[in-house]
Amino acid sequence: MPALGKHRRPKSGRLVRGFVAAGTGGAALALPLLVATTAGAAQPAKAATAKAVATAPAAAKKAPATYTVVAGDSLAKIAAEHSLTGGWKKLYNDNRRNIGADPALIRPGLKLTIGAKAVPADRAADAARADRSAARTAPVAKKAPAAKAKTYSNDLDGWIKESLDIMAKHGIPGTYEGIHRNIMRESSGNPLAINNWDINAINGTPSKGLLQVIDPTFRAYHVPGTPFDSFDPVANITAACNYAAARYGSIDNVNGPY
């Protein structure tokens, strides 16, 4: 039975009452033992906080900065101003592609990346070797062989063939047979032949050369690209064939004096 005049204390939600017996001789004194009921809860909360700290992402690394070179700058100066770990050598390695082979040559206006991760030297060397290898193995376009200049013999056969090639370029008709036949009739193949007895000679314009052309006709029907000389074999043939084409349709149609 509870003692008179005593009231029970209200139970605490945060404390658990217990008893510990302390003996002194035969008597025992009951002492209350108070235990925090939230201790167990505090431990998981503390662990959760520690876990959150451990798993939180590391502070974001400082993003690489871009710096524009100005007059008077040097890599050492820029690296010192930006407290760059690794100094000017890292700055150079990070920007080697833009700077070039000489780290001392940086021009105003050049943009440098500060804090970027440099490409490993071995990878950079591999890339350079790959570029050189590609350049060596790339097919080289071969130049077309230059066309050899056509040569002609310095005789009647060569003169006729050269004249035919020039006539073809200028659209003048005629065949080897037609030219040869008329030459043999007019001059017997002598490029210096001259007629000093016919009407043309009497009028002061004697017929000249392989196809016996008078000077006014030669001048009127001279073909560009040949000497302006009526005694020149090729010039004489092409001018005569040009005249015959205009008057007869072709030297092939000429079978007598023309």
Side-chain angles (χ1 to χ4, degrees):
M1 174 183 290
L4 294 177
K6 292 186 178 181
H7 300 279
R8 292 183 180 178
R9 294 183 181 177
K11 291 182 179 180
S12 172
R14 300 180 60 86
L15 300 177
V16 176
R17 188 181 301 273
F19 295 93
V20 176
T24 57
L29 177 63
L31 299 178
L33 177 63
L34 302 180
V35 181
T37 60
T38 57
Q43 188 64 27
K46 184 176 180 180
T49 303
K51 183 177 181 181
V53 172
T55 57
K61 293 183 179 179
K62 187 176 180 181
T66 299
Y67 178 81
T68 302
V69 175
V70 298
D73 272 343
S74 68
L75 294 182
K77 178 182 176 183
I78 298 169
E81 289 177 349
H82 289 81
S83 302
L84 182 62
T85 302
W88 71 267
K89 291 184 179 180
K90 183 178 189 311
L91 183 60
Y92 174 60
N93 288 333
D94 292 349
N95 296 273
R96 182 189 295 267
R97 180 172 296 179
N98 292 336
I99 296 173
D102 190 346
L105 297 178
I106 56 173
R107 62 185 184 280
L110 178 68
K111 293 187 180 301
L112 303 177
T113 300
I114 299 176
K117 185 177 181 181
V119 177
D122 55 346
R123 287 177 53 192
D126 289 344
R129 284 194 292 270
D131 290 342
R132 290 194 296 271
S133 177
R136 286 195 299 269
T137 58
V140 178
K142 294 182 179 180
K143 292 184 179 179
K148 293 183 179 179
K150 192 173 183 179
T151 58
Y152 306 90
S153 58
N154 189 27
D155 55 20
L156 183 59
D157 178 71
W159 300 332
I160 294 175
K161 288 178 179 177
E162 184 175 357
S163 296
L164 285 169
D165 286 343
I166 295 172
M167 290 163 58
K169 293 178 182 178
H170 292 272
I172 301 171
T175 64
Y176 186 100
E177 187 279 329
I179 294 172
H180 186 272
R181 171 168 44 82
N182 281 284
I183 286 176
M184 297 310 293
R185 185 189 67 251
E186 294 292 330
S187 65
S188 299
N190 178 10
L192 300 178
I194 184 170
N195 187 324
N196 289 317
W197 56 266
D198 66 2
I199 188 62
N200 290 320
I202 294 172
N203 291 333
T205 55
S207 302
K208 302 176 181 179
L210 291 173
L211 283 171
Q212 293 293 284
V213 182
I214 62 176
D215 285 342
T217 301
F218 178 82
R219 289 193 294 269
Y221 291 94
H222 172 259
V223 177
T226 63
F228 202 82
D229 177 6
S230 60
F231 282 113
D232 180 85
V234 175
N236 186 280
I237 293 172
T238 52
C241 289
N242 195 22
Y243 163 73
R247 184 165 184 181
Y248 304 103
S250 171
I251 190 70
D252 294 345
N253 298 329
V254 177
N255 295 294
Y258 64 110

PDB file of all heavy atoms in Angstrom, residues 75 88 92-93 95-106:
ATOM      1  N   LEU A  75      55.002  34.156 -69.656  1.00  0.00           N
ATOM      2  CA  LEU A  75      54.339  33.035 -68.999  1.00  0.00           C
ATOM      3  C   LEU A  75      54.623  33.032 -67.491  1.00  0.00           C
ATOM      4  O   LEU A  75      53.739  32.740 -66.686  1.00  0.00           O
ATOM      5  CB  LEU A  75      54.794  31.714 -69.627  1.00  0.00           C
ATOM      6  CG  LEU A  75      54.387  31.490 -71.087  1.00  0.00           C
ATOM      7  CD1 LEU A  75      54.858  30.114 -71.550  1.00  0.00           C
ATOM      8  CD2 LEU A  75      52.883  31.620 -71.274  1.00  0.00           C
ATOM      9  N   TRP A  88      55.164  28.639 -64.712  1.00  0.00           N
ATOM     10  CA  TRP A  88      55.043  28.898 -66.143  1.00  0.00           C
ATOM     11  C   TRP A  88      55.126  27.620 -66.979  1.00  0.00           C
ATOM     12  O   TRP A  88      54.564  27.546 -68.078  1.00  0.00           O
ATOM     13  CB  TRP A  88      56.117  29.883 -66.591  1.00  0.00           C
ATOM     14  CG  TRP A  88      57.519  29.328 -66.608  1.00  0.00           C
ATOM     15  CD1 TRP A  88      58.445  29.390 -65.633  1.00  0.00           C
ATOM     16  CD2 TRP A  88      58.124  28.611 -67.686  1.00  0.00           C
ATOM     17  NE1 TRP A  88      59.602  28.760 -66.004  1.00  0.00           N
ATOM     18  CE2 TRP A  88      59.441  28.274 -67.275  1.00  0.00           C
ATOM     19  CE3 TRP A  88      57.703  28.225 -68.949  1.00  0.00           C
ATOM     20  CZ2 TRP A  88      60.319  27.572 -68.088  1.00  0.00           C
ATOM     21  CZ3 TRP A  88      58.575  27.523 -69.766  1.00  0.00           C
ATOM     22  CH2 TRP A  88      59.875  27.202 -69.333  1.00  0.00           C
ATOM     23  N   TYR A  92      52.588  26.672 -69.834  1.00  0.00           N
ATOM     24  CA  TYR A  92      53.035  26.403 -71.207  1.00  0.00           C
ATOM     25  C   TYR A  92      52.517  25.058 -71.698  1.00  0.00           C
ATOM     26  O   TYR A  92      51.998  24.941 -72.808  1.00  0.00           O
ATOM     27  CB  TYR A  92      54.558  26.438 -71.276  1.00  0.00           C
ATOM     28  CG  TYR A  92      55.104  26.029 -72.624  1.00  0.00           C
ATOM     29  CD1 TYR A  92      54.772  26.745 -73.772  1.00  0.00           C
ATOM     30  CD2 TYR A  92      55.937  24.918 -72.751  1.00  0.00           C
ATOM     31  CE1 TYR A  92      55.267  26.365 -74.997  1.00  0.00           C
ATOM     32  CE2 TYR A  92      56.428  24.541 -73.989  1.00  0.00           C
ATOM     33  CZ  TYR A  92      56.091  25.262 -75.113  1.00  0.00           C
ATOM     34  OH  TYR A  92      56.562  24.891 -76.340  1.00  0.00           O
ATOM     35  N   ASN A  93      52.641  24.028 -70.836  1.00  0.00           N
ATOM     36  CA  ASN A  93      52.168  22.703 -71.239  1.00  0.00           C
ATOM     37  C   ASN A  93      50.669  22.694 -71.511  1.00  0.00           C
ATOM     38  O   ASN A  93      50.192  22.012 -72.408  1.00  0.00           O
ATOM     39  CB  ASN A  93      52.502  21.667 -70.169  1.00  0.00           C
ATOM     40  CG  ASN A  93      53.983  21.361 -70.113  1.00  0.00           C
ATOM     41  OD1 ASN A  93      54.679  21.492 -71.105  1.00  0.00           O
ATOM     42  ND2 ASN A  93      54.482  20.982 -68.944  1.00  0.00           N
ATOM     43  N   ASN A  95      48.958  25.094 -72.690  1.00  0.00           N
ATOM     44  CA  ASN A  95      48.617  25.910 -73.862  1.00  0.00           C
ATOM     45  C   ASN A  95      49.622  25.754 -75.005  1.00  0.00           C
ATOM     46  O   ASN A  95      49.724  26.601 -75.887  1.00  0.00           O
ATOM     47  CB  ASN A  95      48.539  27.393 -73.470  1.00  0.00           C
ATOM     48  CG  ASN A  95      47.429  27.675 -72.489  1.00  0.00           C
ATOM     49  OD1 ASN A  95      46.289  27.922 -72.880  1.00  0.00           O
ATOM     50  ND2 ASN A  95      47.749  27.625 -71.194  1.00  0.00           N
ATOM     51  N   ARG A  96      50.367  24.636 -74.966  1.00  0.00           N
ATOM     52  CA  ARG A  96      51.427  24.428 -75.961  1.00  0.00           C
ATOM     53  C   ARG A  96      50.906  24.528 -77.396  1.00  0.00           C
ATOM     54  O   ARG A  96      51.566  25.093 -78.280  1.00  0.00           O
ATOM     55  CB  ARG A  96      52.070  23.055 -75.750  1.00  0.00           C
ATOM     56  CG  ARG A  96      53.220  22.756 -76.708  1.00  0.00           C
ATOM     57  CD  ARG A  96      53.638  21.300 -76.569  1.00  0.00           C
ATOM     58  NE  ARG A  96      54.182  21.008 -75.261  1.00  0.00           N
ATOM     59  CZ  ARG A  96      55.475  21.067 -74.970  1.00  0.00           C
ATOM     60  NH1 ARG A  96      56.345  21.427 -75.895  1.00  0.00           N
ATOM     61  NH2 ARG A  96      55.899  20.777 -73.758  1.00  0.00           N
ATOM     62  N   ARG A  97      49.715  23.986 -77.640  1.00  0.00           N
ATOM     63  CA  ARG A  97      49.191  23.984 -79.017  1.00  0.00           C
ATOM     64  C   ARG A  97      48.998  25.399 -79.551  1.00  0.00           C
ATOM     65  O   ARG A  97      49.251  25.675 -80.712  1.00  0.00           O
ATOM     66  CB  ARG A  97      47.862  23.229 -79.065  1.00  0.00           C
ATOM     67  CG  ARG A  97      47.235  23.170 -80.440  1.00  0.00           C
ATOM     68  CD  ARG A  97      46.028  22.260 -80.478  1.00  0.00           C
ATOM     69  NE  ARG A  97      46.400  20.890 -80.209  1.00  0.00           N
ATOM     70  CZ  ARG A  97      45.539  19.896 -80.158  1.00  0.00           C
ATOM     71  NH1 ARG A  97      44.262  20.112 -80.351  1.00  0.00           N
ATOM     72  NH2 ARG A  97      45.947  18.656 -79.891  1.00  0.00           N
ATOM     73  N   ASN A  98      48.561  26.324 -78.674  1.00  0.00           N
ATOM     74  CA  ASN A  98      48.324  27.704 -79.118  1.00  0.00           C
ATOM     75  C   ASN A  98      49.610  28.520 -79.145  1.00  0.00           C
ATOM     76  O   ASN A  98      49.772  29.403 -79.993  1.00  0.00           O
ATOM     77  CB  ASN A  98      47.307  28.392 -78.205  1.00  0.00           C
ATOM     78  CG  ASN A  98      45.920  27.802 -78.353  1.00  0.00           C
ATOM     79  OD1 ASN A  98      45.602  27.222 -79.380  1.00  0.00           O
ATOM     80  ND2 ASN A  98      45.087  27.937 -77.340  1.00  0.00           N
ATOM     81  N   ILE A  99      50.520  28.241 -78.215  1.00  0.00           N
ATOM     82  CA  ILE A  99      51.733  29.044 -78.110  1.00  0.00           C
ATOM     83  C   ILE A  99      52.742  28.672 -79.176  1.00  0.00           C
ATOM     84  O   ILE A  99      53.352  29.524 -79.815  1.00  0.00           O
ATOM     85  CB  ILE A  99      52.358  28.882 -76.703  1.00  0.00           C
ATOM     86  CG1 ILE A  99      51.396  29.445 -75.650  1.00  0.00           C
ATOM     87  CG2 ILE A  99      53.706  29.594 -76.630  1.00  0.00           C
ATOM     88  CD1 ILE A  99      51.829  29.183 -74.222  1.00  0.00           C
ATOM     89  N   GLY A 100      52.918  27.363 -79.399  1.00  0.00           N
ATOM     90  CA  GLY A 100      53.914  26.923 -80.355  1.00  0.00           C
ATOM     91  C   GLY A 100      55.140  26.363 -79.660  1.00  0.00           C
ATOM     92  O   GLY A 100      55.143  26.099 -78.464  1.00  0.00           O
ATOM     93  N   ALA A 101      56.217  26.222 -80.430  1.00  0.00           N
ATOM     94  CA  ALA A 101      57.403  25.544 -79.922  1.00  0.00           C
ATOM     95  C   ALA A 101      58.215  26.393 -78.961  1.00  0.00           C
ATOM     96  O   ALA A 101      58.964  25.865 -78.142  1.00  0.00           O
ATOM     97  CB  ALA A 101      58.288  25.106 -81.092  1.00  0.00           C
ATOM     98  N   ASP A 102      58.087  27.726 -79.023  1.00  0.00           N
ATOM     99  CA  ASP A 102      58.913  28.601 -78.181  1.00  0.00           C
ATOM    100  C   ASP A 102      58.055  29.255 -77.109  1.00  0.00           C
ATOM    101  O   ASP A 102      57.229  30.129 -77.408  1.00  0.00           O
ATOM    102  CB  ASP A 102      59.579  29.674 -79.045  1.00  0.00           C
ATOM    103  CG  ASP A 102      60.630  30.459 -78.274  1.00  0.00           C
ATOM    104  OD1 ASP A 102      60.656  30.347 -77.035  1.00  0.00           O
ATOM    105  OD2 ASP A 102      61.421  31.174 -78.914  1.00  0.00           O
ATOM    106  N   PRO A 103      58.235  28.867 -75.830  1.00  0.00           N
ATOM    107  CA  PRO A 103      57.400  29.446 -74.759  1.00  0.00           C
ATOM    108  C   PRO A 103      57.664  30.924 -74.534  1.00  0.00           C
ATOM    109  O   PRO A 103      56.881  31.602 -73.881  1.00  0.00           O
ATOM    110  CB  PRO A 103      57.768  28.612 -73.535  1.00  0.00           C
ATOM    111  CG  PRO A 103      59.127  28.069 -73.833  1.00  0.00           C
ATOM    112  CD  PRO A 103      59.168  27.858 -75.307  1.00  0.00           C
ATOM    113  N   ALA A 104      58.763  31.438 -75.079  1.00  0.00           N
ATOM    114  CA  ALA A 104      59.080  32.855 -74.877  1.00  0.00           C
ATOM    115  C   ALA A 104      58.325  33.747 -75.858  1.00  0.00           C
ATOM    116  O   ALA A 104      58.290  34.967 -75.698  1.00  0.00           O
ATOM    117  CB  ALA A 104      60.589  33.081 -75.026  1.00  0.00           C
ATOM    118  N   LEU A 105      57.732  33.134 -76.863  1.00  0.00           N
ATOM    119  CA  LEU A 105      57.029  33.928 -77.871  1.00  0.00           C
ATOM    120  C   LEU A 105      55.529  33.846 -77.642  1.00  0.00           C
ATOM    121  O   LEU A 105      54.868  32.901 -78.083  1.00  0.00           O
ATOM    122  CB  LEU A 105      57.386  33.417 -79.275  1.00  0.00           C
ATOM    123  CG  LEU A 105      58.861  33.546 -79.679  1.00  0.00           C
ATOM    124  CD1 LEU A 105      59.079  32.970 -81.068  1.00  0.00           C
ATOM    125  CD2 LEU A 105      59.295  35.003 -79.630  1.00  0.00           C
ATOM    126  N   ILE A 106      54.997  34.797 -76.932  1.00  0.00           N
ATOM    127  CA  ILE A 106      53.550  34.912 -76.776  1.00  0.00           C
ATOM    128  C   ILE A 106      53.164  36.308 -77.247  1.00  0.00           C
ATOM    129  O   ILE A 106      53.760  37.295 -76.851  1.00  0.00           O
ATOM    130  CB  ILE A 106      53.093  34.659 -75.327  1.00  0.00           C
ATOM    131  CG1 ILE A 106      53.798  35.600 -74.350  1.00  0.00           C
ATOM    132  CG2 ILE A 106      53.319  33.214 -74.932  1.00  0.00           C
ATOM    133  CD1 ILE A 106      53.252  35.514 -72.937  1.00  0.00           C
TER     134      ILE A 106
END
